């Protein structure tokens, strides 16, 4: 009897764990994404927009509102959905070069990245934790 109860509990935990795993649909990555946060907590002094082409290439547009300057970069990205569910950004000239992020959320309207090896906290918005909304 005890063995059946243990088996049932293990089966229930397994089902619960598997239901909690959300499969990422990489077709949702393609398009333009603007980095945005709750302005009452974190105000950006510019903008960051990524446009992903679906063929492992992207365009990055940054705007520094304080300096009045904008810059455009292009680069490539690598996706590892099988092992880790990660995206690695490899621009030629960027503060985020060769950094890997776990894709925490990817829907048709919202995307969230968490830098590998870090944990979420409000004080890391814009660096370790990155939040995007779809523009196009």
């Amino acid at each position: 009897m005890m063995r059946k109860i243990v088996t049932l509990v293990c089966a229930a935990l397994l089902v619960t764990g598997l239901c909690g795993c959300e499969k990422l649909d990489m077709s949702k990555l393609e398009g333009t994404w603007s980095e945005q946060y709750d302005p009452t907590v974190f105000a950006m002094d510019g903008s960051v927009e990524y446009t992903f082409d679906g063929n492992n290439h992207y365009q990055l547009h940054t705007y520094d509102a304080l300096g009045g300057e904008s810059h455009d970069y292009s680069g490539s990205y690598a996706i590892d959905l099988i092992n880790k569910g990660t995206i690695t950004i490899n621009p030629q000239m960027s503060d985020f070069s060769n950094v890997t992020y776990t894709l925490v959320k990817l829907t048709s309207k919202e995307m969230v990245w968490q830098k590998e090896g870090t944990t979420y906290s409000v004080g890391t918005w814009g660096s370790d934790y990155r939040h995007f909304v779809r523009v196009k």
Side-chain angles (χ1 to χ4, degrees):
M1 179 67 169
M2 183 61 134
R3 187 173 188 173
K4 286 183 181 184
I5 292 173
V6 169
T7 302
L8 285 173
V9 169
C10 288
L13 289 173
L14 179 62
V15 169
T16 302
L18 291 175
C19 290
C21 296
E22 183 178 325
K23 189 164 182 149
L24 296 170
D25 180 359
M26 290 317 299
S27 67
K28 293 179 182 172
L29 179 65
E30 191 173 335
T32 302
W33 298 87
S34 176
E35 191 166 7
Q36 293 185 8
Y37 303 93
D38 178 351
T40 63
V41 179
F42 180 73
M44 293 181 64
D45 56 358
S47 64
V48 174
E49 281 189 3
Y50 281 94
T51 301
F52 296 96
D53 69 2
N55 292 315
N56 292 53
H57 294 94
Y58 71 88
Q59 298 292 318
L60 170 62
H61 177 77
T62 62
Y63 173 68
D64 176 2
L66 298 176
E69 297 180 359
S70 63
H71 298 279
D72 292 299
Y73 306 99
S74 61
S76 59
Y77 62 94
I79 299 290
D80 181 357
L81 292 180
I82 296 171
N83 296 319
K84 302 182 200 175
T86 60
I87 183 169
T88 303
I89 302 295
N90 298 307
Q92 295 171 349
M93 300 172 64
S94 171
D95 292 341
F96 303 114
S97 183
N98 295 313
V99 176
T100 299
Y101 296 91
T102 299
L103 288 159
V104 176
K105 183 176 189 177
L106 179 58
T107 68
S108 60
K109 296 180 182 180
E110 185 180 22
M111 177 168 57
V112 175
W113 300 350
Q114 181 69 45
K115 187 175 177 182
E116 268 194 338
T118 66
T119 56
Y120 172 82
S121 69
V122 174
T124 64
W125 286 8
S127 59
D128 294 346
Y129 172 83
R130 302 189 65 197
H131 178 262
F132 300 87
V133 294
R134 183 177 297 282
V135 176
K136 301 179 201 170

